[in-house]
Every structure is written in C-alpha cells, then in structure tokens.
C-alpha cells in the first residue's frame, strides 16, 4: 500500500472567525482530482476547530489541533484534552512541536504521553521532531532526531500515526535543508521509527517535512524519497499559498 501524502497546515496562534473564509476557499479549491492525490488538513487554534468543522469537512478538508493535555480530564486550568478536541471535530493533533518543546518545556516523555492520550481519544498524533541549528552544526542532527523518535513515540503506537521532521532552524526562517539532507534524515527517521515500533509499521507511517515550506520549494521537497507530505506554518494561513503547496501533488 503506497502512503497517501498528507499536507497539514499549522496556523499556530493565528486566526479569527473571519479566517474561516480561508478554510472555505481551501475546501472549494480541493477538487476531486486533488483529493485522489493528497490528504489535506488544517490545524487552527482550538478556538476555531468547532467553528471550522462544517465548512472544512463539507469540502473534504480534515481538522487537527496543535496540542493536547496528556490527561483525559481533571484539574488542569487552561488545558484541553484530546477527547475534547475529538468532540469538536478534530481528527489529528500535533504533539511535540518545537515551539511547545521550547516554550513549555515539553520533554520527549511528555510528548510521548500526549501522543498516547491522542491515540486513546481516537485522534491521530502528528509527532514533531527536529534538531536546532547548533545541533546540526555539531553534526548531531541524526542522533538528536533518533533520540526524539525513540523517546516521543509510544512503543505500541499503530502504523497510522504521523511523524513530522521539522528542523528548528528552518521554522519561520525561510531556510530549508538541501533535498539531500532531507533525504538522509527521512530515510534515517523511517529506520528509527521501525526500530522503535517494529512489525513493519514504519512502512505505512507518513513522515512529513516541515520548516519554511512554500509554493516555490514544495515540488522539490515533496519529491524527496521518504517525504510523505508537509507540515506548513506561515504559508498555510492563506488558501492561495496552502493550495499552491498541495498542488505539488497534482
Ligand atoms: P513555517 O512553520 O512553515 O512557518 O516555517 C512550520 C511549522 O512550525 O510547523
């Protein structure tokens, strides 16, 4: 079974009710031919998931969240559980984004618990990994990502989970690794996923590339072996850019 590519938009802390017009435009542009080639999802802020549900799903665009708590419910003021996200219409949730690891001190252990909570609630986790600039310059990119995969994936995760390789230095900077570096990392990541999960699961797991994906570089990046789609930040806010990235798969 070939892996169905996935292009996911991560709106981060951006978006208001008026932004739902962008989701509507994405849904309109996502025609039957493109649907056969690539799966599309948008991960808006949690405030918009329920509001976006109708317009997104009518057009076949899926919805995801950007984070979840590791517990199912309880005394965690301000937090949102995976089950709540599922309840309002999410089918995916990003966990372990580098901004959460950096700004909220999320460790591999926490990320793994969040991924497990997502699976328990019936959500597909998109588990993010990636090295910093200093780590890459020190020649440690592969070992860092290997350790993150080992620590962040629940050992019993199914072959339906998604992993996103996002070099921290490429996020929001306009910089991207070379296709050769992406190819090396994604091949390595698949081997590490297999080492962690076993049973041939890594063959069905989609490994997304993320970090400054734009319409101009998407065809080249998406063509790299073992790249099964993109996690797109800034360029996912506008339908015209996001759909131009998805068009790489047409
Ligand atoms: P960017 O962000 O596309 O704006 O670089 C990617 C991400 O953080 O997921």
């Amino acid at each position: 079974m070939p892996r169905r590519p996935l292009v996911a938009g991560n709106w981060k802390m951006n978006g208001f009710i008026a932004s739902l017009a962008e989701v509507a435009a994405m849904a309109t542009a996502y025609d039957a031919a493109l649907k056969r080639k690539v799966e599309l999802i948008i991960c808006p802020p949690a405030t918009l998931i329920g509001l976006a549900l109708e317009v997104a799903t009518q057009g076949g665009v899926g919805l995801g969240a950007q984070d979840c708590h590791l517990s199912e419910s309880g005394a965690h003021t301000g937090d949102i559980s995976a089950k709540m996200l599922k309840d309002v219409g999410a089918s995916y949730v990003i966990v372990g984004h580098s901004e959460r690891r950096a700004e909220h001190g999320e460790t591999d252990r926490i990320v793994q618990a969040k991924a497990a909570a997502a699976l328990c609630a019936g959500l597909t986790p998109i588990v993010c990994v990636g090295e910093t600039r200093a780590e890459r310059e020190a020649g440690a990119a592969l070992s860092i990502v290997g350790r993150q995969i080992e620590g962040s994936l629940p050992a019993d995760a199914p072959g339906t989970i998604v992993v996103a390789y996002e070099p921290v230095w490429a996020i929001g900077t306009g910089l991207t690794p070379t296709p050769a570096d992406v190819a090396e990392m994604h091949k390595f990541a698949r081997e590490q996923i297999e080492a962690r999960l076993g049973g041939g699961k890594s063959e069905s797991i989609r490994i997304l590339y993320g970090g400054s994906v734009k319409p101009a570089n998407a065809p080249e990046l998406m063509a790299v072996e073992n790249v099964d789609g993109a996690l797109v930040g800034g360029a996912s806010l506008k339908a015209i850019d996001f759909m131009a990235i998805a068009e790489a798969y047409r």
Side-chain angles (χ1 to χ4, degrees), residues 10-15 43-45 66 97 99 171-172 232-234 237:
N10 171 13
W11 279 13
K12 309 192 180 188
M13 199 170 72
N14 299 290
C43 304
Q66 300 171 14
H97 190 282
E99 287 151 15
I171 294 175
V232 185
L237 292 168

Side-chain angles (χ1 to χ4, degrees), residues 176-179 182 209 211-214 217-224 227:
T176 54
T178 64
V182 174
Y209 168 77
S212 295
V213 177
K214 306 279 183 255
N217 62 22
E220 186 178 44
L221 289 166
M222 297 306 102
V224 173
V227 173

Side-chain angles (χ1 to χ4, degrees), residues 136-148:
R136 177 154 288 267
E137 283 170 356
L142 294 180
S143 63
I144 292 291
V145 168
R147 200 191 65 211
Q148 289 174 334

Side-chain angles (χ1 to χ4, degrees), residues 10 12 94-102 128 166 171 231:
N10 171 13
K12 309 192 180 188
I94 298 167
V95 293
H97 190 282
S98 62
E99 287 151 15
R100 300 235 26 121
R101 290 178 186 261
C128 298
E166 297 204 305
I171 294 175
L231 182 53

Side-chain angles (χ1 to χ4, degrees), residues 130-172:
E131 83 285 357
T132 63
R133 168 163 289 290
E135 288 161 349
R136 177 154 288 267
E137 283 170 356
L142 294 180
S143 63
I144 292 291
V145 168
R147 200 191 65 211
Q148 289 174 334
I149 287 171
E150 161 80 23
S152 304
L153 301 190
D156 59 353
T160 50
I161 66 160
V162 178
V163 172
Y165 167 58
E166 297 204 305
V168 178
W169 52 272
I171 294 175

Side-chain angles (χ1 to χ4, degrees), residues 7-173:
V7 173
N10 171 13
W11 279 13
K12 309 192 180 188
M13 199 170 72
N14 299 290
F16 297 97
I17 290 171
S19 319
L20 298 177
E22 297 298 328
V23 179
M26 291 168 189
T28 303
Y30 189 35
D31 61 34
L34 195 55
K35 283 191 180 102
R36 281 194 292 273
K37 302 279 188 185
V38 59
E39 177 180 354
L40 287 192
I41 68 165
I42 284 290
C43 304
T47 49
L48 293 179
I49 294 172
L51 294 169
L53 184 62
E54 196 176 322
V55 64
T57 52
Q58 270 176 7
V61 176
L63 288 171
Q66 300 171 14
D67 176 48
C68 65
H69 196 271
L70 48 80
S71 301
E72 195 178 306
S73 64
H76 305 288
T77 303
D79 279 313
I80 301 179
S81 75
K83 206 171 172 180
M84 292 169 178
L85 297 167
K86 173 86 174 171
D87 185 48
V88 290
S91 42
Y92 288 86
V93 59
I94 298 167
V95 293
H97 190 282
S98 62
E99 287 151 15
R100 300 235 26 121
R101 290 178 186 261
E103 294 175 23
H104 298 268
E106 293 190 5
T107 60
D108 288 339
R109 182 182 286 266
I110 291 171
V111 175
Q112 184 186 144
K114 290 186 171 196
L119 287 164
C120 194
L123 295 180
T124 298
I126 300 173
V127 183
C128 298
V129 296
E131 83 285 357
T132 63
R133 168 163 289 290
E135 288 161 349
R136 177 154 288 267
E137 283 170 356
L142 294 180
S143 63
I144 292 291
V145 168
R147 200 191 65 211
Q148 289 174 334
I149 287 171
E150 161 80 23
S152 304
L153 301 190
D156 59 353
T160 50
I161 66 160
V162 178
V163 172
Y165 167 58
E166 297 204 305
V168 178
W169 52 272
I171 294 175
T173 58

